[in-house]
C-alpha cells in the first residue's frame, strides 16, 4: 500500500484505479472578475449655478436579492469632491480605500503652504477634475489587464477654475462629462428627465440649487418606481466651492403608486 | 572619546574594544548641532514644536516646514540633518500606509514608533550604510472611537460582541522619541537638538501627568513656544522661526487630526513667551542691582 | 592622500558629526559658473553665466526647461544635472498624465531631494555634484523658487545664487530682498543680471554669448482666470536688450573695460 502522505485520504489506487487529478488543474485561460457580485444601481448627478447635486440609493443587491440596505455609495474626498459608485460593491470598497490613501497623501501637501491659509491649501489639493482623470487612468489600466474594476462612477465637484464639474467613468475606462449624468438604469430613466432642465452647461448655469435638488429627488422617485433593484432610502450630496453637504439617510417622499394599476403584470391583478 | 583615531570609529557597525559603536555616537553629534525640537504630551493631546534657525536672509518666510504629517493622526519633528529627516518621514508614511493596507485601520503611535525604531536600528548594523543623523519625535492621538468597518464603507454590524471590553479606555495621546541608535522610549515631554538641556529642564517643571490639574492642550502650546524660546536663549545672535503643530482627540480643536497650530494661537503663544522671557531678564537685572 | 580619515566615503561621520564627502560635493557646485534665481508675486526668473571651453567652442547650457511650468538652473557637474533633469521631466509628465495638472513644484523638488539623500547614506554611492535652482508656478497660484543641494537639502527661497563667486550675487540679493515681491518681470530680470554682474571676475562682462535668461510666471486671462506663462529660455540676440539695460553706462557708473574673451578654465563643469 502507498503510505506516502500525498496518498493519504485518497481512494486507493489498487482498489479504484489511478486517481484522476485532472479536475484539480485549471485548464484554459486565467480568469479574473467576469461579472459583478454585490451591486449598487444608478447614480445620478446634475450641475447647477454654483455646483453639482449627486445622489444614489443605499441599496446593495445580491442578484435580485436586496441584500444590504444601508450601504453608502457616495464618498466624499477632502470635503471638496463627491464620488458616486454604481456596480460592484467590493470594487467600490477597494477604490474607496485607494481614495482615502490619496486623501492622506494630500494632507502631506499642507506642509507646503506658508501660514495656515485654507484657500491656498484647497487650491493645491486634487480637485474633482484631477480625481476623474486619475480614476479614468486606473480603470482603463485595469480593463487592459483584463481585470476590470466593475464600476460605473460619477465624479462631482469643481474644476481647476472653480467651475462646477461632473463627469463619468466606467469599467472600460470610458470617460465623458455633461451637464447631467446618470449611470445604470438611470441612464435610461433619469437622464431624459434631467435633460429637460439642463441639456447644456448654459442651461445648467441658470438652475438654482433648490431646482437642481428637486429634479434629482424627482428622478430618484422615478427610479424607485421602475427599477426593481432600487430602494426608497438614498444619499444626496450638494457640492459647491464652499464644500460638500452630504445627507445619507434621505427617504423618498410623497410616493404615489396610482400609476401601477395601469401596468400589466403588476401585483395580483388578472388581465 | 579616547578611542578617536584608533580606527574603531572609521566604519559603522564596528564595536570598539570597550563595546562602543562610535559612528552612532558621531551621528548623535550631528543631532546635537541641529535646531531644538520638543514634544509635549498632555491630557488632551500632543504638541510638537521646532526652532528653525534662519541660515539665510533669502529663505522664504514661513515656507520650508519641518514638522511633517505621517498619517492623519500622526506628526513627526526631528533635529539634525534635514535630508535624513525627510527620508525618515517618507519611510514613516510608507509604514503607516502599509499598516492601513494590511489591517484596514490606522497605525497606532506606539506601533509606528516601534517600526521606525527598528528601521533606524537597521542602519547601525551594516558597514554599507551610515546611521541616521537625526533624533525624531513622533506624536500621535490614537482614536478612542470605534473604528469604522473598512474605511467607513457601510456602517458595520450594529450589534454583537465586536471584541470590545465594556468600560475599557481605548486610544489617547502618545509621544515617542527615536535616537540614531534606534533606541526609543515613550515620553511625557521630549526634547532634542542643540537646546535640549535647557528644554528638558523646563519640561520637567510642567505637570504632564494627564490628570485633572494637568496641562491643557492650549497651555501646552504656550509652554512649547516658551520652551523653544528659552532653549534658543544661549544662541541669541541667530534669528529663528518657530513652527508648531498639535493633535487633539476627536472632541478637541483638531478633531483627531495632526495640524499646524493656527496662526493666531501661535502668535499669541509667541507673544506670551517673549513677555515672560523679558520679565525674567528684568528680574535678573533687578536682582543684580539689589546685590550691588 | 586624504585630508583626514573621515572623508573617504559618504557613510562615515566625523567625530563632530559631519560627512565630509557630502561637504566636498557641495564644493563641486562652486566649480560651476554662477546662476541666479528670483521670484516675485507674478514671475520667477533664472539668469546664468555660460562658459565655453575654448574660444571657438560653444557655450555650456545652464538653464533647462522641465515642463511647461518648471525649469532649472544648474551649477556643478552637467552630467549629474542631466540625470536629475530627466528624472524631473518624467515625474512631471507622469503627473500630468495621471491627474491632468501641473506637478506641484514642492513635490517635485522633494523627490530629487530624496533621491540625493539616498546617495549620502549608502556605501558605493556618491552624492550628486550639482546644485540646482528650480523655478516654477503651481496650484498655489504664485511663482516659486527652490534651491537644491547635493546633500539632498531643498529650501524655498525668495531669491538665491549658487556657483562660482556666488556670495557676491547673494549679497546683492540680500540688499534688495524686500523689493522683489512687487517687481514686474522686466525689473526682475534686471535685478538678476545685476546680481550676476556682482559675481563676475574682474574685466569680465555680460555678453549675448555668455548670458542666459529664463522666465516662468502667471498671467491673468481676459476673464480674470490665472494662466501659466510657460517657462522659456532666452539666449543670444534675445537677451541683448536686457544686457544693455543694465550696462554700466546705463546704470550711470564708470564705463566698463572692453570685452575680454572667456578664459580656458572649463572642463565638464557648467
Amino acid at each position: 500500500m502507498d503510505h506516502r502522505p500525498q496518498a493519504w485520504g485518497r481512494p486507493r489506487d489498487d482498489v479504484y484505479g489511478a486517481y484522476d487529478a485532472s479536475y484539480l488543474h485549471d485548464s484554459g485561460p486565467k480568469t479574473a472578475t467576469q461579472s459583478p457580485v454585490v451591486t449598487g444601481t444608478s447614480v445620478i448627478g446634475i450641475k447647477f449655478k454654483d455646483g453639482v447635486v449627486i445622489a444614489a440609493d443605499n441599496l446593495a443587491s445580491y442578484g435580485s436579492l436586496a441584500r444590504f440596505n444601508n450601504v453608502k455609495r457616495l464618498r466624499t474626498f477632502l470635503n471638496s469632491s463627491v464620488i458616486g459608485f454604481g456596480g460592484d460593491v467590493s470594487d467600490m470598497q477597494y477604490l474607496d480605500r485607494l481614495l482615502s490613501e490619496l486623501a492622506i497623501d494630500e494632507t502631506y501637501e499642507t506642509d507646503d503652504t506658508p501660514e495656515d491659509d485654507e484657500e491656498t491649501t484647497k487650491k493645491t489639493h486634487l480637485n474633482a477634475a484631477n480625481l476623474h482623470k486619475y480614476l479614468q487612468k486606473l480603470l482603463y489600466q485595469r480593463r487592459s489587464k483584463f481585470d476590470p474594476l466593475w464600476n460605473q462612477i460619477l465624479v462631482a465637484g469643481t474644476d481647476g477654475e472653480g467651475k462646477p464639474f461632473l463627469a463619468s467613468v466606467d469599467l472600460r475606462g470610458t470617460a465623458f462629462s455633461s451637464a447631467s449624468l446618470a449611470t445604470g438604469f438611470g441612464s435610461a430613466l433619469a437622464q431624459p428627465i434631467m435633460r429637460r432642465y439642463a441639456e447644456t452647461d448654459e442651461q445648467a448655469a441658470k438652475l438654482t440649487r433648490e431646482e437642481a435638488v428637486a429634479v434629482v429627488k424627482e428622478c430618484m422617485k422615478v427610479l424607485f418606481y421602475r427599477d426593481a433593484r432600487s430602494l426608497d432610502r438614498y444619499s444626496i450630496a450638494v457640492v459647491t466651492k464652499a464644500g460638500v453637504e452630504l445627507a445619507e439617510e434621505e427617504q423618498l417622499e410623497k410616493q404615489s403608486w396610482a400609476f401601477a394599476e395601469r401596468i400589466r403584470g403588476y401585483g395580483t391583478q388578472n388581465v | 572619546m579616547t578611542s578617536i583615531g584608533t580606527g574603531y570609529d572609521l566604519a559603522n557597525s564596528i564595536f570598539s574594544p570597550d563595546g562602543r559603536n562610535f559612528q552612532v555616537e558621531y551621528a548623535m553629534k550631528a543631532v546635537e548641532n541641529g535646531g531644538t525640537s520638543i514634544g509635549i504630551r498632555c491630557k488632551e493631546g500632543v504638541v510638537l514644536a521646532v526652532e528653525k534657525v534662519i541660515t539665510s536672509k533669502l529663505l522664504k518666510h514661513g515656507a520650508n516646514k519641518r514638522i511633517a504629517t505621517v498619517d492623519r493622526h500622526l506628526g513627526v519633528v526631528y533635529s539634525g540633518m534635514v535630508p535624513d529627516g525627510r527620508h525618515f518621514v517618507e519611510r514613516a508614511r510608507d509604514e503607516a500606509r502599509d499598516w492601513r493596507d494590511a489591517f484596514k485601520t490606522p497605525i497606532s503611535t506606539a506601533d509606528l514608533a516601534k517600526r521606525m525604531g527598528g528601521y533606524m536600528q537597521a542602519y547601525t548594523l551594516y558597514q554599507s550604510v551610515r546611521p541616521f543623523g537625526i533624533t525624531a519625535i513622533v506624536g500621535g492621538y490614537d482614536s478612542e472611537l470605534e473604528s469604522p468597518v473598512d474605511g467607513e464603507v457601510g456602517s458595520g454590524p450594529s450589534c454583537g460582541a465586536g471584541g470590545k471590553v465594556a468600560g475599557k479606555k481605548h486610544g489617547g495621546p502618545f509621544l515617542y522619541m527615536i535616537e540614531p541608535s534606534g533606541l526609543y522610549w515613550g515620553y511625557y515631554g521630549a526634547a532634542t537638538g542643540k537646546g535640549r538641556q535647557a528644554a528638558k529642564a523646563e519640561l520637567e517643571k510642567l505637570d504632564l501627568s494627564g490628570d485633572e490639574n494637568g496641562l491643557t492642550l492650549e497651555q501646552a502650546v504656550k509652554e512649547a513656544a516658551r520652551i523653544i524660546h528659552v532653549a534658543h536663549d544661549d544662541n541669541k545672535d541667530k534669528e529663528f522661526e518657530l513652527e508648531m503643530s498639535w493633535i487633539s482627540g476627536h472632541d478637541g480643536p483638531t478633531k483627531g487630526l495632526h495640524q499646524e497650530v493656527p496662526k493666531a494661537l501661535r502668535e499669541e503663544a509667541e507673544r506670551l513667551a517673549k513677555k515672560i522671557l523679558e520679565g525674567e531678564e528684568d528680574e535678573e537685572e533687578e536682582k543684580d542691582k539689589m546685590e550691588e | 592622500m586624504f585630508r583626514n580619515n573621515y572623508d573617504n566615503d559618504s557613510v562615515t561621520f566625523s567625530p563632530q558629526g559631519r560627512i565630509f564627502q557630502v561637504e566636498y560635493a557641495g564644493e563641486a557646485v562652486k566649480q560651476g559658473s554662477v546662476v541666479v534665481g528670483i521670484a516675485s508675486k507674478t514671475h520667477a526668473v533664472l539668469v546664468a553665466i555660460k562658459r565655453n571651453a575654448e574660444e571657438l567652442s560653444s557655450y555650456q547650457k545652464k538653464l533647462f526647461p522641465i515642463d511647461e511650468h518648471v525649469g532649472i538652473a544648474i551649477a556643478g557637474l552637467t552630467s549629474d544635472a542631466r540625470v536629475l533633469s530627466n528624472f524631473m521631466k518624467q515625474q512631471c509628465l507622469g503627473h500630468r498624465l495621471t491627474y491632468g495638472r501641473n506637478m506641484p513644484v514642492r513635490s517635485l523638488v522633494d523627490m530629487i531631494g530624496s533621491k540625493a539623500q539616498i546617495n549620502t547614506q549608502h556605501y558605493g554611492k556618491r552624492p550628486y555634484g550639482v546644485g540646482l535652482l528650480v523655478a516654477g508656478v503651481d496650484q498655489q497660484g504664485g511663482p516659486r523658487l527652490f534651491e537644491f543641494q547635493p546633500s539632498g537639502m531643498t529650501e524655498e527661497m525668495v531669491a538665491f545664487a549658487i556657483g562660482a563667486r556666488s556670495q557676491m550675487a547673494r549679497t546683492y540679493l540680500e540688499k534688495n530682498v524686500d523689493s522683489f515681491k512687487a517687481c514686474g518681470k522686466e525689473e526682475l530680470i534686471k535685478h538678476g543680471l545685476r546680481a550676476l554682474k556682482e559675481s563676475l571676475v574682474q574685466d569680465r562682462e555680460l555678453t549675448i554669448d555668455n548670458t542666459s535668461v529664463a522666465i516662468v510666471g502667471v498671467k491673468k486671462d481676459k476673464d480674470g482666470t490665472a494662466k501659466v506663462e510657460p517657462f522659456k529660455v532666452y539666449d543670444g540676440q534675445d537677451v541683448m536688450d536686457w544686457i544693455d539695460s543694465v550696462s554700466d553706462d546705463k546704470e550711470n557708473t564708470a564705463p566698463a573695460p572692453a570685452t575680454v574673451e572667456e578664459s580656458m578654465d572649463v572642463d565638464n563643469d557648467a
Side-chain angles (χ1 to χ4, degrees), chain A residues 70-72 75 89 92-93 96-97 100-105 107-116, chain B residues 61-63 65 67-72 93 97 100-101 104 150-155 260-263 266:
Chain A
N70 191 23
V71 171
K72 310 294 156 51
R75 322 295 312 167
V89 170
M92 168 182 95
Q93 290 173 321
D96 187 52
R97 287 196 290 270
S100 54
E101 277 176 1
L102 205 59
I104 292 170
D105 288 351
T107 63
Y108 305 157
E109 295 289 317
T110 53
D111 298 351
D112 186 32
T113 42
E115 302 306 327
D116 45 333
Chain B
H61 183 76
K65 296 281 157 61
I67 305 180
T69 304
V70 166
D71 199 332
R72 289 190 178 119
R93 286 170 177 175
R97 169 181 292 248
R100 268 182 193 272
D101 284 345
K104 311 283 181 271
D150 200 355
E152 295 179 3
V153 177
S155 53
E260 193 177 356
V261 170
K263 195 178 168 191
R266 193 196 67 219

Side-chain angles (χ1 to χ4, degrees), chain B residues 271-282:
Chain B
R271 192 183 58 77
L272 285 172
K274 282 175 189 159
K275 207 169 127 189
I276 292 168
L277 279 186
E278 277 164 21
E280 277 173 6
E281 266 167 34
D282 291 349

Side-chain angles (χ1 to χ4, degrees), chain B residues 4-5 9-12 23 26-27 29-30 33 55-61 63-65 81-84 86-87 90 123 127-133, chain C residues 5-6 10-17 19 106 110 114 117-118 120-123 143-144 146 151-160 170 173-174 177:
Chain B
I4 292 178
D9 65 345
L10 291 177
N12 189 20
Q23 278 294 308
Y26 296 171
K29 284 276 181 244
N33 297 332
T55 50
S56 166
K57 267 184 173 173
L58 298 171
L59 277 166
K60 188 166 172 184
H61 183 76
N64 302 308
K65 296 281 157 61
M81 297 159 65
V82 177
D84 282 21
R86 297 288 317 165
H87 179 172
E90 269 165 42
Y123 277 76
Q127 295 207 16
S128 56
V129 291
R130 63 167 174 79
F132 278 82
Chain C
N5 283 324
Y6 304 100
S10 56
V11 293
T12 308
F13 279 106
S14 80
Q16 293 77 28
I19 301 166
R106 162 71 80 176
D110 278 352
S114 310
Q117 193 277 340
I118 304 286
T120 72
Q121 205 170 12
H122 293 262
Y123 186 83
R144 325 191 59 185
F146 292 86
S151 62
M153 188 78 175
T154 57
E155 286 175 300
E156 185 165 9
M157 317 299 276
V158 175
F160 210 59
R170 283 200 295 276
L173 295 172
E174 279 174 23
V177 68

